[in-house]
Amino acid sequence: MAADKGRASAPIIIKRVQVGGGGHHGGAWKVAYADFVTAMMAFFLLMWLLNATTEKQRRGLADYFDPTIMQSQTGSGDSVEDGQGQAEKMTGDAAQFQEMVKQIQDALTGSGAESMQHTNALRHVVTRLTDEGLVIELSDLTDEPLFVEDTAQPHQVTRELADILARVLGRVRNDLAISGHVRAYPAMMTRSPVWPLSDARAHTVRNLLEQANLDGQRIQRVTGWADRKNRSANPMDPANNRIEVILLR
């Protein structure tokens, strides 16, 4: 009985356990610090992008992340969002140039009335389409060169070709370029004439075109290529002598 009475009078101690801790011993500050570090990384990445990109690139990045930019439904504008309309315009320009090229080729190579009147002279003409534009190549023939040998003095056929080209190219407005090419000469020559000769022949054709009333303002460049762009495998082949008149795109 005495023992039971002693136990009953002993004080009762209640221990409260705090789950998860508190104050600086908790983990919430770690989450906040991680968010801060992430934000700083994003900030420095943004600063680096602003410094490392051009204005055009930055505008493209902004457009990519802007959900309000949409493709125009009409397809007829020239704004940033109307890429389809610009593509259609470029396609239309290309088609228009192709049609113009066809008409010029017909006039120079056998399908037009112009070619029927100058069959002999137009034997010298070959045309081809490149990224730069329509190349109209005037080349020597075995029995009929364009210039007096080793000079820039034109034969009569060259004058006739210039008259034909001036009339045909006068129907369009595109700018022009003229380049001269000549065959190679023996290496033992003290002074090779290829550079001055190709340049002089190109300028001769330019003068003939202008004398035939072609607007000289349309001619954007006149270039001598010497013997650097041979057409024949034999560098000294007279077939390498040619003038190229380029109708630029």
Side-chain angles (χ1 to χ4, degrees), residues 6-204:
R7 284 196 298 269
S9 62
I12 299 174
I13 300 174
I14 300 175
K15 185 178 181 180
R16 293 184 174 84
V17 180
Q18 295 183 350
V19 180
H24 66 279
H25 297 290
W29 69 273
K30 298 179 181 179
V31 176
Y33 180 72
D35 290 342
F36 171 76
V37 172
T38 302
M40 291 301 296
M41 289 179 63
F43 173 74
F44 286 117
L45 179 61
L46 176 62
M47 296 300 293
W48 175 81
L49 283 174
L50 291 175
N51 184 61
T53 56
T54 65
E55 177 64 27
K56 183 177 181 180
Q57 290 171 329
R58 290 194 292 270
R59 190 182 308 116
L61 288 170
D63 292 344
Y64 179 82
F65 289 103
D66 188 351
T68 63
I69 295 181
M70 301 174 60
Q71 179 175 314
S72 172
Q73 298 298 318
T74 61
S76 60
D78 292 327
S79 59
V80 174
E81 64 270 18
D82 192 22
Q84 181 179 356
Q86 292 184 9
E88 291 174 353
K89 182 179 183 300
M90 292 176 63
T91 303
D93 291 343
Q96 185 178 8
F97 186 80
Q98 289 280 3
E99 178 60 28
M100 180 174 59
V101 164
K102 182 179 183 303
Q103 293 176 6
I104 293 174
Q105 288 176 324
D106 288 346
L108 295 176
T109 59
S111 301
E114 188 78 43
S115 63
M116 297 302 294
Q117 298 173 13
H118 304 278
T119 303
N120 184 61
L122 291 173
R123 294 186 303 146
H124 295 266
V125 177
V126 176
T127 64
R128 68 180 186 276
L129 193 60
T130 68
D131 291 340
E132 189 175 23
L134 175 65
V135 178
I136 303 171
E137 187 177 286
L138 314 178
S139 58
D140 279 359
L141 299 179
T142 304
D143 60 339
E144 192 174 33
L146 296 175
F147 297 90
V148 176
E149 186 176 4
D150 299 336
T151 74
Q153 181 180 343
H155 283 298
Q156 180 58 32
V157 67
T158 310
R159 299 180 184 276
E160 293 178 11
L161 286 169
D163 289 340
I164 295 171
L165 286 182
R167 285 197 298 273
V168 173
L169 296 177
R171 302 169 186 170
V172 298
R173 298 181 179 180
N174 295 56
D175 289 335
L176 303 168
I178 302 173
S179 60
H181 305 263
V182 297
R183 68 177 181 86
Y185 283 73
M188 70 280 297
M189 293 184 64
T190 304
R191 180 174 297 177
S192 174
V194 292
W195 285 109
L197 186 57
S198 63
D199 181 71
R201 288 182 174 181
H203 278 284
T204 294

Side-chain angles (χ1 to χ4, degrees), residues 226-246:
D227 57 353
R228 298 302 191 263
K229 292 189 175 183
N230 293 321
R231 190 174 64 177
S232 171
N234 175 14
M236 298 183 66
D237 189 340
N240 292 319
N241 293 327
R242 65 196 190 279
I243 300 292
E244 293 180 353
V245 179
I246 307 170

